[in-house]
Amino acid sequence: MVKSIRQRPLAWAAPLGLGLAGCAGDTSILDPAGPAARDVALVWWGMLAFFTLVFVALVVLWLYTFRGGSRPERSAEDERRIGRHWILGGGILLPGVTIVVLLAWGVPAGQHMLPLPIGKPPMVIEVVGHQWWWEVRYPDAEGGEVVTANQLVMPVGEPVDFHVTGADVIHAFWIPRLGGKIDMIPGRINRIRLEAEVPGVFGAQCAEFCGAQHANMRLHVEAMPREEVEAWLAARRPEPAPTPEHAEAREHFREHCADCHRVAGVSEGDVGPDLSDIGVRATLGAGVMAMQEGAIADWLRHHQAYKPGNRMPAHDDIDAETLEAIGAWLETLQP
Amino acid sequence: MSETSTPRRDPEELHRTLDEVWANPRGFRALTVVNHTTLGLRFMITGLVFFLIGGVLAMLIRAQLALPDQDFLSPDLYNQVMTMHGTVMMFLFAIPMLEGLAIYMVPKMIGARDLVCPRLTAFGYFCYLFGGIIIISSLLLEIAPESGWFLYTPLSSSEFSPGPGSDFWLLGVTFVEISAMAAGVELVVGILRTRTQGMSLTRMPLFVWYILVMAFMIVMGFPPLILASILLELERAVGMPFFVVEAGGDPVLWQHLFWLFGHPDVYIIFLPAAGIVSTLIPVFAGRPIVGYSWVVAAVILTGFVSFGLWVHHMFTVGIPQLAQTFFSAASMLVAIPTAIQIFAWLATLWLGKPRMTLPMLWILGFLIIFVIGGLTGVMLALVPFNWQVHDTHFVVAHLHYVVVGGMLFPLVAGAYYWMPLLSGRLPSERLGRWGFWLTFLGFNLTFLVMHWTGLLGMPRRVYTYDTTMGWDLFNLISSVGGFILSVGIAMVIVDFALHFRFGRRSPRNPWHADTLEWANTMPPTNYNLVSLPAVHSRHPLWDDPDLPRSTSAGEHGLAGTTFGRREMWGSDPLTGQVREVVHVPTNSWWPVSAAAALAVVCVSLLARVYVVAGLATLVAVVVLLYWSWENGAHPRASASDEVAPGDPPLHSRTLDGPGRWGMGIGLLANGALFLSLLFGWFYLWTVSPQWQMPDASPLSLPLLLAGGVVLTAAALWLERLVRGLRRGHDRGLAFGLYGTAALGALQLVLLVVLLRQAELAPTASAHDAVVTVALIYGLIHSGLATVLVLLQGRRVGYGYVSARLPYEPLVVVQLWRYHLGVYWVLVAAFWLLPTLMGGSA
Amino acid sequence: MMARLPLTHPLHLVIGMILWSLWFVAFYGGLSVACAVAPPDPLQGAFTAINAGLALLTLATVGLLAWLAWRAWQAARAARGRARYLARLSAGLYIFAAIGALYMGLPVVALSPCV
């Protein structure tokens, strides 16, 4: 194994310094960063408090029945009455009231996540789950659709509608700090509304088991002010003019990679992730390793060891220099 | 029949005669044993072996997840291990283990000598054994299923799981489920029809109520998964696209069918365990349970409500919020019957003087763990919270709290409680307590912490995780806890094993229990009781502590055996008044042969050698028919129809033996399968994204109507014959039966023509695929109904069926009624409605 | 029906929940079909024909179950022994079925049906 090469210090440490502000990592649902997640966290703490009370009371009562000593003599009628009180009070009244209150108080917590019509239609981001990477599309971007992969940029402080589907098997879209998850099912489009209240980087990972590399299907989510999102999208719109250097690497890419991958202005493959801005992405292989100098070439050589079973063929037939060259060129790809 | 009329005979002599009739053969003929005591034990021992295998798989999982970035298992192998852990624990351990317990215990508790269909017990056991071996073999060959134990499509379909793993799961699990269905049917019939004199429904031990409801739930709950497995296997093997969107199918249909089974399954596992709790608590509190009727009501309610919750496993698939909230409310509703039971137990302890014995320690562990599991279950029922924690380790923790707390802990409590009955010895207190505390602490260490891991965002079924996620410590704690848990379990098993040799000798009824199983000798004989006592309350052994002696002395009903038959009482389902003497079949090669033939079918389907599969199916059918032939008045089933003076008639000479009930319950299961198919049809029609309904039905109306008319005529004819038999005459019986068979055959031919003429393209469209399956379902029933009525005709010739022996046509006529109903429903659902609603989506 | 199947018959132990199951299927099936055929505008909220229909269905079912519970209770008071026992148990199960249907039907007053 070439495990030692693997370094991903940057993968999840948030560049903006906010991602790790929470108590434990950036996928904790107890560290909400949006209204939906906050409501759910509140519901959780409420349920936890009340249910702990119920649980402790029950166990104490139960243990108390085993105390030694004599019991009062009771008539059969008394016993029947006491038994009836226990069952009516604990068996019916307690759970009955609890579930009515819980339903009335808990269900509205999900309201934020429903794509109900609101005054100003929210921004739409389409996310498609693939084995094992994410395709992210901005259909309404000014001047034409923008496509990227394994990274998602969203505006902060406003609701965003995510329209999700699966390209092959069922995946699930989930940004724990923003709110609940929704399945990405081939043939349907599911919708969920999420909002980030603070800017930052949030972890996200496929939540529905989707095969061999389910564990390595992570999405880098970044919330930033609307203007920055617009700028980010605008930068990705024009097709970059090919630079004279790396011409040879581009040719190698056309030969070996273009059938599957798209690079704006170079190739139109749509089987694997779009690589047009790969040079500035935070991670490689949907969160398998951090992006840094030489990382792409390393990935190209050893990706079947880093992410066994991934759909990209092993590149044993391509010599190391070629892979180095392709990697070096891909690292230059920036919007 | 009355207790005093039995002439006094020497107890030794009684025992000898009974033993002769009920003895188990040895050597390789042990394969022919049908006795419920032996088979119950075989079920439980086999279940224990699978439990150990599942436990080792769990340890592999915890070893892999103990540290981040581990390479202990490859992703492929991890996914196989994780899939098989779930599959083995749910399908090969939990359900069969509890079935085994029920098979062993129920006849003893209701004062019967065996279950009513002992050969079915044996058949069920071998289906379980062979199915289990087939499933496990895939793991040894490293081609085990690897798409998670709920095998969601399209991940499990041939495109994304090209290997044979999914096939092993689909065929193996279906095979094992046949065994569950067999147990379900005969437990229902046994409980309803063979309770001893005077054991009315209201005097039944609570454990038996739980098992009754569980058995009904198996009968209604397993067919959806059997159907789903058949459909997915057809998709994988033949290419019928039930779950493929482009062809009009829908992967979500699999989820609906799976969870229509899956959720009731949780309660199928929980109810018998709760039955153990409801048995032990009164015994150790030294008083009757408080609120017997409340508990019965709660169990019945659980049985129903648990069929209405399945969508809470699917809250994230994008179902509208109103429907989700509806299911959310249903899921919370089930808290009420559960709470009723918990407080009935608490009140019993409160009003009694409980003893903290070893079994009660496990019951205490059950309470703590199960209540936590139940409370997190209520949390999960809440839709918005569910959206957050669904498919995380929070759910993994919750489900282990429910199934380990709700099933394993009561099971061990029950094992300690009933162990003296099996061995005549008492368990050790010291090793047992160590085992309990290690198991209890290890379990909570593993899974309490896991809730937190889930809240930190760790999804389930990941083979690795990154150290920056902050999950390291909690996973390590879970893994350490897991290994402590295994040591505890190992200690319990060692304790069981040792006690057979070193345990103190136990007196009869050591716990001072109230139920009839403790009237047995320890260990029990093959025939249970020498004579079958009448009961006058819910607590026969508290009423009459002398029962162990007096039953052995032959002072009660059906003492010994006079006619060389295996006999027991058949009684009224409501009052428990004795109505018949039921003579049950003896040891036989048929069950093991039929199961072996089905195993060959299963293996050859796996190997895709369809010729062999076809031949083996034929062999299985022939074996099953031969098996059915040696029944009723066949000399091998019962040479004479004599009964002792004063005893009621043999069931096979009446109009209403247990077989009629067996057929009825079997048809209930069949109906559940058919309803699942209809659900699939209407579901795809209304919901599937790319469903295509042809403009005009491909089915020819004239042929449909002709088939229907012929079938109706045949069914009416059979009804007339049966009415005649009920009135005591059999004029033209053989001719009528043959005539019915001929009409049945004609209808079969018409159906074949219909199927051919429709020119369906079952591999191109989900619509045609479903129609094909529906027609084949009809075809199979035509064939079966025809063959059975033909055999009845033959039996008239042999003198097995007549005005004096009217029983069997009454059994067969139920199948015909069912088939008739199903046929017209098929016409309505597959021709009438589509024609009325018009084509397109 | 009562003449042929007196309320002291054990079948009444399950009839309540069977009626509940039928209501369940009609509710869920009706909702799904209605949403597939004619989904209303989400802006209408809970004030749609679908909600009204489901509410009526639920109320009718609850009414029937409550009436049966009351009848079973009456029958229990008139009967003795096992018959009385069974009728009382049936009454309890009818009540649970009624309350269960009411509780599960509650969301129709608040939620938009097809979103």
Side-chain angles (χ1 to χ4, degrees), chain B residues 61-82:
Chain B
I61 294 174
R62 278 325 313 170
Q64 169 84 358
L65 294 181
L67 300 170
D69 291 325
Q70 289 254 81
D71 286 327
F72 177 66
L73 297 174
S74 69
D76 246 3
L77 198 55
Y78 179 86
N79 292 338
Q80 293 185 20
V81 165
M82 149 300 259

Side-chain angles (χ1 to χ4, degrees), chain B residues 313-327:
Chain B
H313 297 269
M314 303 167 58
F315 278 161
T316 62
V317 300
I319 291 165
Q321 192 200 15
L322 178 57
Q324 292 201 23
T325 311
F326 173 76
F327 281 100

